[in-house]
Every structure is written in structure tokens, then in C-alpha cells.
Amino acid sequence: MGSTLTVAVTGAAGQIGYAILPRLVSGEVFGQQTRVHLRLLEVAQALPALEGVVMELQDCAFPLLESIDATDDAKVAFDGVNWALLIGSKPRGRGMERSDLIRDNGPIFVGQGKALSRAADDVQVLVVGNPANTNCFIAMRHAECDGIPPARFAAMTRLDQNRAQAQLARKAGVPVHKVTRMTIWGNHSATQYPDGENACINGLPAPQTVGDLDWLRGPFIETVQQRGAAVIAARGLSSAASAAGAALDHVISMETPTVSDDWFSAAVATDGSYGIPAGLVYSLPLRSHGKGQWEIVQDLPISDFAAGKLAATTAELESERQLIADLLPL
Ligand code: NAD
Ligand code: LMR
């Protein structure tokens, strides 16, 4: 008979919204037996454009798409939702860092964090809007006041993971699925640490397969750290198709038990693992048990080089937290 899920997408009239919505209800994410109720949230001035997106979704005639509600009220959008994809927020332009958006976008996640109190008991939340880790931290802290466990929240670093896997695959001349155990540590920013030292290619340690530690510790890291800016420089707009694909990969990873001895990356609330201060939203290696249950992969070796990178991205997240201290619940 199958089941039904209610999924909220914010910023649904934006670039990522346009790329993600058809795939979200096609069956590729929740399976061919799961029908989806969509809740689309936008600011009032974007509702006319959103109506066009709704028309197109209707015109796709997706068999699994049960209903679509478009609204500018977060309480309506999040009522009874099982998943909330928080995308809606301003993107950066050329020459900006993602943290430059913090005072514009941070306040969005105060109201949305509170409105998530209306969600279903099993709600899972993915924050995509930048700066994603700190926006997630804001929403998570407000939702926690209403009893939603922090473990239900993640900020997206799957795009960085996918970028890192693609770079390693190109370097080694292998298909991308041969690259496993890809960890992104820290902030979705230019201080993130894509960990080539613990990744595997064809089941072997990447440093052994690549045979070029200078590349792994230099151009590889910089390419992944700067990939978002490179896309903006080339396209004039921030990534959308790859961002949408990564958000769907994240949802699938959280819904499905992680296979064999692989893992995936997402920014979640820290618990002191790896000496990272507890209470930040920090990208870590995770294994999923399915249905939103996950654990942090423990005991990965951290070289002195890596420890310096982890410390730098920790310091950046701590400074972002200072910048939004007034947006947190008392
Ligand atoms: P966009 O400007 O095309 O669309 C954003 C949409 O959000 C707009 O339609 C806008 O009206 C809407 N919006 C703004 N405030 C809102 C609110 N309070 N409630 C609901 N909707 C609201 O931008 P985009 O390209 O879709 O990017 C969206 C965000 O995702 C940006 O912050 C971007 O930087 C971020 N992003 C993150 C990643 C990542 O890997 N974490 C990747 C790509 C983009
Ligand atoms: C990305 O990594 O592509 C996004 O975070 C958009 C950006 O601002 O770089």
C-alpha cells in the first residue's frame, strides 16, 4: 500500500527550489511506494512566481505527488511535516564570503526554528541556506526550546563531500563511486577541511592511490573550499543543480542505513568527539541507521596537519556564533 510523507521546502520559488522539487517527488528519494504532500514556503512577494512552480509540478503529473500547498506562513508550512528542507535565504554574490550573509539570513532561522514546533514528532531538518552551519545552529536552538532534539538538525555539507569525491576520482582516473569514506570537517565555508587522508579510492587509502600528498594537502583542499565561489564567478549565480542533488543525497543517506564500512558528511551538533567543542554545528563523518538515526564515526586518525585545519574551522564557527548571539533564545 505504501506510506505518505509531508515535506516542507522553503525558498521554493528560488533556483535550488526549482531544481529540487521535481526530483523530490519523483520517487528517487523516498521510494516508489511513498506518496508526498509538499508544503512550499516563500516570502509574500515571491508567491506569484511560486504559483508558476506549482503549475509546473502539477503538469509533470507525478504519480506520487499527493498534494501541494504554497504559503508564506511558516506555521502552516511546517504543520505535521516529516522533513523540512530550509533553503530559502539570500545567496552570496561575487567577492562575498558566505558569512557576509549572516545578519541578513540569520533572523529567518529564528522564526522558522520556532515554527518547527508544529512539525511531526519524527521531523528531520536540513539547512541549506547560507551560512548553513550557523543558520542551522540558530534554528536548532530555538526548536530545542520546544523539545525537538538537536540530533534532528543538520546543515548541508554533502555538496562539499560530492565535490571532494569528484576531484579525487578525476585525479585517480576512477569512477566517482570508487571514492568512499569522504569526510568534510567543520564549516561549509572556505575553512572547511576535506579530508583526503582518511578517504579511500578503490578500497585503498587515497594517499596511497594518489601518491601525491602535496596535492592532497594543497590544491585538492583549496579547490573544494573555493568551488562555490568558482561556480559563482563562472555562472554569475550560486550552485543550484548540484546543491539540489546534494540535498537529495543527504535525505537519502539519513533515510537509509549506511552500507558496509562507508560514511557520509553532514554538519550536526557536536558532542566533544575529536576534541571539537560540544554544541557547535560542525561537519563530521556519520553513519546512518536509517529513519534519521545516525552516529558519528569515531577514532579516525587525525594528523597534525589535519588537527590544524580542524582547529581553524572550529575558530571560525565560534566567531560566527558570537555574531548571532543576540538571535539565540535566552
Ligand atoms: P535564490 O535567491 O534563487 O532563492 C532563494 C529563495 O528563498 C527566493 O525565492 C526567496 O524569495 C526565498 N526566501 C527568502 N527568504 C525567505 C524566507 N524567510 N522564507 C522562505 N523563503 C525565503 O537562492 P538559491 O540559489 O536557491 O540559494 C538559496 C540558499 O542556499 C542561499 O543562501 C545559498 O547561498 C544557499 N546554498 C547553500 C549550499 C550549501 O551547500 N549549503 C549550496 C548552494 C546554495
Ligand atoms: C556553494 O557551496 O555552492 C554554496 O554554498 C553557494 C555559495 O555561496 O558558494
Side-chain angles (χ1 to χ4, degrees):
M1 288 294 289
S3 56
T4 304
L5 286 176
T6 304
V7 181
V9 176
T10 76
Q15 288 205 92
I16 299 174
Y18 194 74
I20 204 170
L21 288 168
R23 294 183 62 189
L24 194 56
V25 295
S26 69
E28 71 176 283
V29 179
F30 299 112
Q32 296 296 336
Q33 302 301 317
T34 306
R35 298 185 305 282
V36 178
H37 292 282
L38 274 184
R39 297 277 178 69
L40 307 183
L41 182 68
E42 259 298 349
V43 294
Q45 57 271 35
L47 287 177
L50 183 58
E51 194 48 42
V53 177
V54 171
M55 284 187 240
E56 286 208 61
L57 287 169
Q58 290 166 342
D59 296 349
C60 288
F62 288 112
L64 295 168
L65 178 53
E66 195 79 356
S67 68
I68 313 173
D69 293 299
T71 177
D72 63 354
D73 183 343
K75 290 187 185 132
V76 173
F78 296 159
D79 192 27
V81 295
N82 308 103
W83 265 100
L85 307 182
L86 307 188
I87 299 168
S89 51
K90 195 169 156 181
R92 67 173 164 159
R94 287 189 176 104
M96 293 172 71
E97 289 300 326
R98 298 177 186 89
S99 57
D100 295 337
L101 300 165
I102 207 163
R103 294 302 312 183
D104 281 338
N105 287 344
I108 295 171
F109 295 85
V110 174
Q112 293 186 359
K114 290 178 183 167
L116 280 163
S117 64
R118 317 267 298 214
D121 287 344
D122 67 351
V123 68
Q124 294 182 65
V125 183
L126 174 66
V127 176
V128 174
N130 277 321
N133 297 52
T134 296
N135 290 338
C136 181
F137 179 74
I138 295 168
M140 185 182 87
R141 290 288 307 277
H142 283 279
E144 197 178 359
C145 297
D146 287 309
I148 304 180
R152 300 290 176 70
F153 281 77
M156 188 164 93
T157 54
R158 186 52 169 266
L159 179 53
D160 308 293
Q161 176 191 327
N162 289 350
R163 288 167 171 164
Q165 285 177 288
Q167 291 301 317
L168 286 181
R170 287 186 65 185
K171 179 77 173 174
V174 299
V176 77
H177 70 271
K178 296 289 186 187
V179 181
T180 56
R181 297 186 164 198
M182 190 69 245
T183 312
I184 303 296
W185 299 92
N187 201 1
H188 175 61
S189 76
T191 67
Q192 68 176 273
Y193 173 52
D195 183 354
E197 297 180 20
N198 281 305
C200 284
I201 302 174
N202 280 331
L204 297 170
Q208 187 181 321
T209 313
V210 168
D212 185 351
L213 196 57
D214 287 345
W215 179 83
L216 270 183
R217 289 183 168 181
F220 165 66
I221 293 172
E222 284 147 29
T223 300
V224 178
Q225 288 176 333
Q226 295 298 332
R227 192 65 159 189
V231 170
I232 292 168
R235 225 169 75 83
L237 290 167
S238 67
S239 61
S242 57
L248 299 178
D249 288 342
H250 173 96
V251 174
I252 292 168
S253 289
M254 284 294 186
E255 287 285 324
T256 319
T258 308
V259 289
S260 64
D261 58 355
D262 202 1
W263 60 72
F264 65 97
S265 295
V268 294
T270 48
D271 63 356
S273 297
Y274 294 99
I276 299 156
L280 292 172
V281 171
Y282 193 104
S283 185
L284 292 165
L286 303 181
R287 277 204 190 94
S288 165
H289 302 294
K291 302 292 166 210
Q293 305 295 313
W294 51 262
E295 62 182 8
I296 299 168
V297 176
Q298 299 291 343
D299 299 327
L300 297 184
I302 304 294
S303 65
D304 288 347
F305 173 83
K309 297 291 182 192
L310 267 60
T313 196
T314 299
E316 184 184 44
L317 281 167
E318 286 175 329
S319 75
E320 286 186 17
R321 186 171 58 183
Q322 291 298 321
L323 291 174
I324 52 81
D326 61 315
L327 299 179
L328 298 177
L330 295 175

